[in-house]
């Protein structure tokens, strides 16, 4: 294998192929499509390309789409490989192959553990991670381009060699990683993957964002397998699906692979998320830490205890309340109401509310007596945070919940919600071919697919 990095003029990637269903595309800034290499057909006589998922921006549901794709592919292939070539937020996991702890992107941990992809070791699923300070080291020459590309190449070859099909999840939009020369489009071109673009619901703005990402894919000779439009308003669903399908086919000759209606629950933070936001833990009610709350139902308590108790009995049971640390009456009233409901033995619906108690550090504190009473009860979730009520509410409103392996219910809900809306038959038609050049009639010529 040979790499050359010549003042951003030309970059060459060449490699011998291993694995029954993968191919690597050698490339330069001119990107000769005829240089695509394949090792041969799969068991169905078709050549299967890797599938690469990227978004148009942050927080559009890329990981949810990836989860749904892995779930659907597992129903159609024996072994599904997963790799996140370039990651950012990482977690520590145990590599059985290396017999030591290593850092991988958090989404790699999520996908591998949820789908039990035990045939692939963590060591090959997250080759490049970009933590704080990485960019400066790269620009200073402490991290080389060749090292990054070798790591990605080696990892992809191993995953593809052990799998029947490979799904690659990108980081953010297509251009993310450009500052260190490993953006999503470039990596997708390197491994010979077809791109699935994910955008939020809408027409004009969604298509504009898709176009920006399509152009970079085209620059790196990456075929667009299709588009998934996510978080579509229910009252605009049929309209969005009809016109986006029409626009994509007219302008790009690319199908709409999925149009997914909004599922508000997936955007609701759990108490587990709030623990991370405020860097604290629930005082009591820890068994409810994966209970989700709508941001729209946050209630700041400024009323009397009597009025608050009335609200507890009339508002939706699962409401997130916020009060100031000086409101001992509210804190104790909340705990007492929880105990009262618990003793009703089903005569009244259980109280599923949670209470966030706010007070700036070194200025306000909950009294020891009140803390003793809280800790002495098997009560509803209560969390004390060292922020003002305004700051706490702002942080909750600004937070975008992310899928994680600990919140199994949300992960399962995401898979079950997204998977039925994705056209897997069309996706596989677009990413397989009778001809290793991928210019046969069934899969569509390259010019028709970008």
């Amino acid at each position: 294998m040979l790499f050359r990095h010549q003042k951003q003029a030309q970059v060459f990637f060449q490699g011998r192929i291993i694995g029954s269903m993968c191919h690597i595309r050698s490339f330069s800034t001119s990107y000769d499509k005829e240089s695509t290499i394949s090792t041969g057909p799969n068991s169905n006589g078709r050549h299967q390309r890797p599938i690469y998922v990227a978004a148009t921006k942050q927080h559009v549901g890329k990981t949810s789409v990836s989860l749904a794709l892995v779930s659907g592919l597992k129903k159609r292939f024996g072994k599904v490989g997963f790799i996140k070539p370039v990651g950012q937020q990482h977690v520590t996991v145990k590599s059985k192959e290396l017999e030591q702890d290593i850092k991988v992107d958090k989404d790699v941990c999520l996908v591998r553990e949820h789908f039990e992809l035990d045939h692939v070791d963590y060591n090959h699923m997250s080759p490049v991670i970009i933590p704080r300070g990485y960019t400066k080291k790269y620009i200073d020459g402490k991290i080389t381009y060749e090292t990054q590309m070798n790591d990605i190449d080696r990892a992809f070859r191993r995953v593809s060699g052990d799998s029947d099909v490979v799904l690659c999840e990108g980081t953010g939009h297509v251009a993310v990683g450009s500052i260190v020369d490993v953006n999503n489009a470039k990596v997708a071109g390197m491994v010979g993957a077809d791109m699935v673009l994910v955008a939020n619901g809408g027409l004009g703005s969604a298509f504009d964002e898709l176009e920006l990402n399509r152009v970079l894919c085209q620059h790196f000779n990456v075929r667009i397998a299709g588009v998934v439009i996510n978080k579509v308003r229910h009252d605009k669903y049929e309209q969005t699906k009809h016109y986006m399908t029409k626009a994509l086919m007219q302008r790009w000759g690319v199908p709409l692979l999925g149009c997914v209606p909004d599922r508000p629950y997936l955007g609701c933070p759990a108490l587990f998320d709030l623990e991370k936001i405020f860097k604290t833990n629930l005082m009591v009610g820890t068994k409810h830490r994966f209970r989700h709350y709508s941001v729209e139902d946050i209630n700041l308590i400024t009323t009397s205890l009597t009025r608050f108790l009335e609200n507890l009995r009339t508002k939706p049971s699962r409401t997130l309340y916020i009060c100031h640390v000086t409101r001992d009456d509210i804190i104790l009233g909340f705990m007492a109401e929880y105990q009262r409901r618990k003793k009703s033995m089903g005569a009244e619906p259980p109280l599923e509310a949670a209470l966030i108690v706010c007070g700036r550090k070194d200025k306000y504190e909950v009294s020891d007596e009140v803390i003793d009473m809280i800790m002495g009860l098997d009560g509803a979730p209560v969390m004390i945070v060292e922020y003002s009520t305004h700051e706490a509410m702002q942080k909750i409103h600004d937070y975008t919940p992310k899928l994680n392996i600990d919140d199994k219910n949300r992960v399962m809900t995401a898979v079950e919600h997204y998977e039925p809306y994705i056209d897997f038959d069309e996706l596989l038609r677009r990413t397989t071919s009778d001809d290793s050049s991928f210019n046969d009639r069934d899969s569509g010529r390259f010019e028709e697919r970008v």
Side-chain angles (χ1 to χ4, degrees):
M1 180 167 44
L2 176 68
F3 289 102
R4 292 291 185 268
H5 195 191
Q6 302 175 347
K7 297 180 180 180
Q8 300 182 356
Q10 283 192 323
V11 179
F12 296 91
F13 178 94
Q14 295 175 320
R16 182 174 59 85
I17 308 306
I18 64 173
S20 61
M21 296 178 63
C22 86
H23 57 277
I24 302 288
R25 177 185 300 151
S26 63
F27 66 95
S28 71
T29 50
S30 58
Y31 298 96
D32 178 11
K33 66 177 179 289
E34 298 301 327
S35 62
T36 299
I37 305 172
S38 179
T39 54
N42 59 25
S43 59
N44 296 321
R46 304 280 290 174
H47 296 258
Q48 174 66 55
R49 296 168 67 85
I51 300 167
Y52 202 108
V53 182
T56 55
K57 59 183 180 181
Q58 278 188 315
H59 310 319
V60 300
K62 172 174 54 61
T63 300
S64 295
V65 171
S66 295
L67 285 166
L69 288 175
V70 172
S71 179
L73 291 172
K74 278 179 66 67
K75 295 178 175 67
R76 295 163 173 83
F77 293 88
K79 293 182 179 180
V80 178
F82 180 84
I83 182 172
K84 189 157 184 176
V86 181
Q88 292 178 300
Q89 298 181 31
H90 60 268
V91 295
T92 300
V93 297
K94 181 77 171 182
S95 167
K96 293 183 178 179
E97 183 176 286
L98 298 178
E99 296 185 343
Q100 65 183 40
D101 290 341
I102 61 173
K103 289 181 171 58
V104 300
D105 186 272
K106 61 180 181 58
D107 290 337
V108 166
C109 179
L110 167 63
V111 174
R112 186 180 186 276
E113 295 303 316
H114 182 76
F115 292 108
E116 300 180 344
L117 305 183
D118 298 330
H119 69 288
V120 182
D121 190 75
Y122 275 125
N123 187 36
H124 311 293
M125 302 179 74
S126 187
V128 175
I129 296 177
I130 305 179
R132 186 181 299 275
Y134 185 97
T135 300
K136 294 177 183 177
K137 291 181 181 178
Y138 182 82
I139 295 173
D140 287 336
K142 297 177 181 178
I143 299 171
T144 67
Y145 172 82
E146 289 79 6
T147 298
Q148 292 181 141
M149 300 304 267
N150 275 319
D151 288 343
I152 293 173
D153 171 51
R154 184 166 46 248
F156 182 80
R157 289 171 184 275
R158 182 60 180 270
V159 172
S160 61
D162 292 339
S163 308
D164 299 318
V165 63
V166 179
L167 183 80
C168 310
E169 182 182 346
T171 299
H173 57 75
V174 170
V176 168
S178 294
I179 187 66
V180 292
D181 293 316
V182 284
N183 67 60
N184 290 304
K186 189 172 194 174
V187 174
M190 184 186 86
V191 302
D194 283 349
M195 184 72 75
V196 173
L197 292 175
V198 183
N200 268 349
L203 289 174
S205 61
F207 196 89
D208 293 345
E209 292 167 355
L210 285 165
E211 177 66 13
L212 287 171
N213 287 268
R214 182 195 72 86
V215 170
L216 192 59
C217 288
Q218 187 175 39
H219 175 72
F220 285 100
N221 207 17
V222 176
R223 294 179 173 94
I224 306 295
V227 170
V228 175
I229 300 297
N230 184 31
K231 302 180 183 179
V232 180
R233 285 173 45 183
H234 289 267
D235 60 329
K236 299 287 186 180
Y237 183 81
E238 293 301 330
Q239 173 184 291
T240 300
K241 184 177 180 180
H242 172 75
Y243 283 103
M244 186 58 77
T245 298
K246 192 172 182 180
L248 288 171
M249 290 305 298
Q250 286 180 346
R251 308 295 174 82
W252 300 357
V254 166
L256 180 65
L257 294 174
C259 187
V260 185
D262 190 23
R263 182 75 158 83
Y265 164 78
L266 295 174
C268 294
L271 295 173
F272 172 79
D273 297 311
L274 300 187
E275 287 180 319
K276 291 192 297 182
I277 293 174
F278 298 118
K279 298 179 181 179
T280 187
N281 296 309
L282 287 164
M283 294 183 64
V284 288
T286 54
K287 63 183 178 182
H288 304 303
R289 63 202 308 255
F290 291 107
R291 183 178 285 168
H292 295 248
Y293 294 85
S294 171
V295 174
E296 305 301 322
D297 293 333
I298 294 178
N299 270 249
L300 174 61
I301 307 165
T302 59
T303 60
S304 66
L305 173 60
T306 301
R307 186 61 182 272
F308 170 62
L309 293 175
E310 290 176 357
N311 286 336
L312 281 177
R313 299 178 188 185
T314 57
K315 286 187 176 295
S317 177
R318 188 171 294 194
T319 299
L320 183 62
Y321 292 97
I322 294 180
C323 76
H324 194 262
V325 71
T326 57
R327 295 298 304 270
D328 293 348
D329 58 332
I330 297 297
I331 298 171
L332 297 178
F334 178 76
M335 300 299 289
E337 177 64 11
Y338 180 83
Q339 296 299 321
R340 189 189 71 80
R341 296 273 193 102
K342 193 174 181 181
K343 291 180 178 179
S344 71
M345 304 296 290
E348 295 183 63
L351 182 63
E352 297 185 340
L355 180 65
I356 308 296
V357 181
C358 303
R360 289 177 180 169
K361 187 177 182 180
D362 300 326
K363 190 172 183 179
Y364 300 102
E365 292 183 358
V366 180
S367 68
D368 292 339
E369 291 77 13
V370 172
I371 289 179
D372 287 342
M373 293 188 69
I374 294 174
M375 299 301 291
L377 295 172
D378 179 19
V382 176
M383 184 185 301
I384 298 178
V385 303
E386 296 176 344
Y387 294 90
S388 69
T389 54
H390 173 75
E391 290 171 335
M393 293 183 71
Q394 192 64 51
K395 281 182 172 290
I396 296 172
H397 276 283
D398 292 343
Y399 180 74
T400 300
K402 292 293 184 180
L403 296 169
N404 64 82
I405 189 60
D406 296 305
D407 197 343
K408 299 182 185 302
N409 186 57
R410 179 154 57 187
V411 173
M412 185 59 69
T413 300
V415 173
E416 292 174 349
H417 178 64
Y418 277 76
E419 188 176 346
Y421 291 98
I422 296 176
D423 188 343
F424 284 91
D425 290 339
E426 180 64 8
L427 172 63
L428 295 180
R429 186 189 75 82
R430 297 277 295 179
T431 58
T432 60
S433 174
D434 291 327
D435 179 357
S436 62
S437 70
F438 282 78
N439 280 331
D440 68 304
R441 180 179 302 175
D442 189 40
S443 65
R445 293 190 61 80
F446 174 80
E447 292 82 357
E448 298 170 348
R449 299 173 63 192
V450 296

